[in-house]
Amino acid sequence: SALYGDLPFGIAAQNSNSLHAALDHFWNSRSALSTADEPRACDVTLALQSLITNNQLVIASGGGKYSLPGFYDPSFGVEKSLFVRYRFRGVQHEVIVKDDEALAIPMKAHSLGSQT
């Protein structure tokens, strides 16, 4: 699953392995985004799935991700991030990148480490 926009709760874009507690809080609070008067983030899961080639997803750094197919700018004028949670070879992975940062998945650095 993937969310893009003004991600709440002060989640900074960095290696997700140091963010486990914050991410749990984020997903528990995800319903707040869908019930807000003005959505601050959008679900881009299907849009990202359509960009996967040969089991990889690569998004170059540079301009805002709102220009990608299936994305839009849910919070104009506000700094945005992209949060992606995915499973690769039975292992849960999570990553957060700022709007202008590159994203490449799968990556071992995104692994939460437990196979399920």
Side-chain angles (χ1 to χ4, degrees), residues 47-66:
L48 286 183
Q49 287 174 343
S50 71
L51 298 174
I52 294 172
T53 304
N54 296 325
N55 295 320
Q56 294 182 336
L57 172 66
V58 178
I59 300 173
S61 63
K65 291 176 179 50
Y66 59 84

Side-chain angles (χ1 to χ4, degrees), residues 20-114:
H20 291 230
L23 289 172
D24 285 342
H25 177 69
F26 172 77
W27 280 100
N28 290 337
S29 303
R30 184 176 181 197
S31 63
L33 290 173
S34 62
T35 59
D37 291 338
E38 291 185 32
R40 299 174 300 171
C42 56
D43 186 333
V44 292
T45 304
L46 293 177
L48 286 183
Q49 287 174 343
S50 71
L51 298 174
I52 294 172
T53 304
N54 296 325
N55 295 320
Q56 294 182 336
L57 172 66
V58 178
I59 300 173
S61 63
K65 291 176 179 50
Y66 59 84
S67 63
L68 293 170
F71 280 59
Y72 66 93
D73 189 342
S75 50
F76 185 75
V78 177
E79 186 174 316
K80 288 166 275 301
S81 298
L82 173 63
F83 171 79
V84 183
R85 175 180 282 174
Y86 63 98
R87 185 172 304 282
F88 181 70
R89 294 187 177 164
V91 178
Q92 190 82 8
H93 293 68
E94 295 176 344
V95 62
I96 300 172
V97 294
K98 291 182 182 177
D99 202 21
D100 60 351
E101 292 180 332
L103 173 65
I105 59 177
M107 289 189 71
K108 193 171 194 167
H110 303 160
S111 174
L112 298 181
S114 61

